[in-house]
Amino acid sequence: MVFPSLETDRLLLTELRVDDEADLFKLFSNPSVVEYYDLDVFREHSQAANLISLFKSRYEEQQGIRWAIRLKSSGRLIGTCGFNSWSSKMHNAVIGYDLLPEFWRQGYSSEAVRAIISAGFAGKLPCGELHRVQADTVPGNRASESLLRQLGFKEEGLRRECGYWKNKYHDLKCFGLLRSEFITT
């Protein structure tokens, strides 16, 4: 099964490789990146290697997909994005994304996320044609909420204390986007 690569004006979305371990470690060892994440700050490079293996196995088992976000100009890994899970039967997926802080507020996340949502709604991924994409944010993550709204997601409600990580419960705001609501430009 060939991993689907995607391209935007400024980005290449490709499979994470073993040689991405150092860049992935840099990403997830940054406290700002994982502030709202269900991961602790990485302390060892083996954690990055394990995450690459996890993403690879989730794709091979057709449970989800995670792309490396790379600058087209240099090939440098600046973040990741993907469908944390998907259901071919239900035609839906749950999205996630992250980016190195030095690349925040430059439109890279929205460019990458728009590309993967577009591919999912067009049926260009192994999950088949999606009808709905969901995203969850921790209250206070305004940047993520802004990105989702920019792409046409609707806030659907608050799921109280439905997440548990970093030794505490977290409320999650649920956002949903239907194919008919997707803003393609």
Side-chain angles (χ1 to χ4, degrees):
M1 179 172 41
V2 177
F3 189 95
S5 295
L6 303 172
E7 187 174 328
T8 70
D9 289 342
R10 301 181 295 166
L11 302 171
L12 298 172
L13 305 180
T14 67
E15 185 172 18
L16 284 158
R17 304 179 301 250
V18 173
D19 62 348
D20 289 323
E21 181 183 318
D23 291 330
L24 206 62
F25 177 79
K26 180 180 178 186
L27 179 68
F28 289 112
S29 63
N30 187 314
S32 296
V33 172
V34 298
E35 178 180 1
Y36 297 106
Y37 230 99
D38 62 349
L39 290 174
D40 289 320
V41 172
F42 281 7
R43 304 273 181 225
E44 300 176 12
H45 280 266
S46 62
Q47 292 172 285
N50 292 341
L51 190 59
I52 291 169
S53 294
L54 173 68
F55 290 150
K56 182 177 178 63
S57 69
R58 291 191 57 74
Y59 180 69
E60 288 170 351
E61 295 166 9
Q62 292 298 287
Q63 296 176 339
I65 187 170
R66 196 75 173 199
W67 285 271
I69 302 172
R70 301 180 195 281
L71 294 175
K72 191 186 277 188
S73 60
S74 66
R76 179 180 177 196
L77 185 145
I78 63 170
T80 74
C81 64
F83 296 119
N84 299 333
S85 62
W86 64 37
S87 171
S88 297
K89 179 181 176 185
M90 297 295 190
H91 302 266
N92 64 37
V94 177
I95 199 165
Y97 42 87
D98 43 71
L99 203 62
L100 285 166
E102 64 199 85
F103 296 98
W104 291 357
R105 295 178 215 28
Q106 297 175 49
Y108 290 116
S109 290
S110 60
E111 190 172 326
V113 171
R114 183 182 310 280
I116 67 174
I117 290 173
S118 182
F121 284 154
K124 295 179 180 177
L125 303 175
C127 59
E129 191 174 276
L130 296 175
H131 176 72
R132 173 187 163 83
V133 176
Q134 180 176 313
D136 295 313
T137 66
V138 174
N141 190 347
R142 291 187 185 101
S144 188
E145 291 177 15
S146 176
L147 168 78
L148 295 170
R149 287 188 177 101
Q150 175 189 4
L151 294 173
F153 281 79
K154 308 284 188 256
E155 185 176 338
E156 297 178 336
L158 182 72
R159 295 182 295 142
R160 299 174 304 128
E161 297 184 359
C162 75
Y164 184 80
W165 63 86
K166 298 178 185 169
N167 296 314
K168 66 180 191 175
Y169 291 97
H170 298 271
D171 293 343
L172 292 176
K173 285 186 181 180
C174 180
F175 288 82
L177 177 66
L178 304 179
R179 184 175 43 227
S180 62
E181 299 167 333
F182 182 49
I183 302 166
T184 57
T185 57

